[in-house]
Amino acid sequence: MKTYKPLRAFELPPGKCAAISSVLCCFIETNKPFLRQRYRIDELSRDVGIPSYQLSAFINTVLGCNFNDYINKMRVIHCEELMRQQDIDQFNIYGLAFECGFHNRNSFTVAFKKFTGYTPSFYLKLVRSSLCMEQAALTTLS
């Protein structure tokens, strides 16, 4: 009977990790590719010029998540920033999901709750009430 050794994850040398981190962070912050719906690791690989197996290894081992969770987390962070803006009333939850790169409301809600602990609609209510209180405080100070 043959025995098989378990496959080991690809390991990146420390210098390579630092280089990937630098390139990836700069690209993500500058270009916000996570806003594209159905963005895939092979597209990111092409965009940054790093093989997808190295990106995957970096995201899995250094960031501690898989590619989809990484992209969805970036989307949720972007969404939180949008929600804190004063002109958020132009979006409903469905519109916000699309604006942040999600291709449907359900995947948006699941990811948002996973990373914030709240549903998008409840979080939006919290943000709106917080903004109202801040404006009221500013009005009384004036």
Side-chain angles (χ1 to χ4, degrees):
M1 177 176 223
K2 267 189 167 178
T3 58
Y4 295 96
K5 291 181 183 178
L7 292 175
R8 285 187 32 208
F10 177 76
E11 294 178 19
L12 293 167
K16 189 69 171 174
C17 285
I20 291 173
S21 179
S22 176
V23 169
L24 186 61
C25 287
C26 182
F27 181 77
I28 293 291
E29 287 179 26
T30 305
N31 298 292
K32 300 187 185 317
F34 52 84
L35 297 179
R36 293 187 235 160
Q37 292 180 5
R38 302 180 195 270
Y39 191 63
R40 298 184 326 262
I41 196 163
D42 60 315
E43 294 172 294
L44 178 61
S45 171
R46 187 178 55 247
D47 290 343
V48 296
I50 298 170
S52 59
Y53 73 93
Q54 289 181 5
L55 283 173
S56 181
F58 176 81
I59 292 168
N60 293 336
T61 58
V62 177
L63 302 180
C65 61
N66 63 41
F67 175 75
N68 288 331
D69 280 348
Y70 173 67
I71 291 299
N72 284 341
K73 187 172 186 174
M74 295 296 103
R75 290 171 173 160
V76 168
I77 290 168
H78 180 75
C79 183
E80 287 178 291
E81 292 168 0
L82 285 179
M83 287 179 170
R84 287 189 212 103
Q85 294 176 358
Q86 297 287 344
D87 59 350
I88 191 59
D89 291 331
Q90 67 183 338
F91 294 110
N92 59 24
I93 297 301
Y94 190 70
L96 201 53
F98 279 93
E99 184 73 19
C100 295
F102 290 95
H103 62 277
N104 65 54
R105 183 179 170 162
N106 186 51
S107 60
F108 171 57
T109 301
V110 168
F112 198 93
K113 189 163 186 177
K114 179 178 185 173
F115 295 113
T116 66
Y118 301 107
T119 63
S121 53
F122 185 77
Y123 188 90
L124 189 54
K125 286 177 189 173
L126 290 174
V127 168
R128 284 181 176 153
S129 67
S130 173
L131 289 174
C132 288
M133 287 191 280
E134 286 176 18
Q135 286 191 340
L138 289 174
T139 304
T140 52
L141 291 175
S142 303

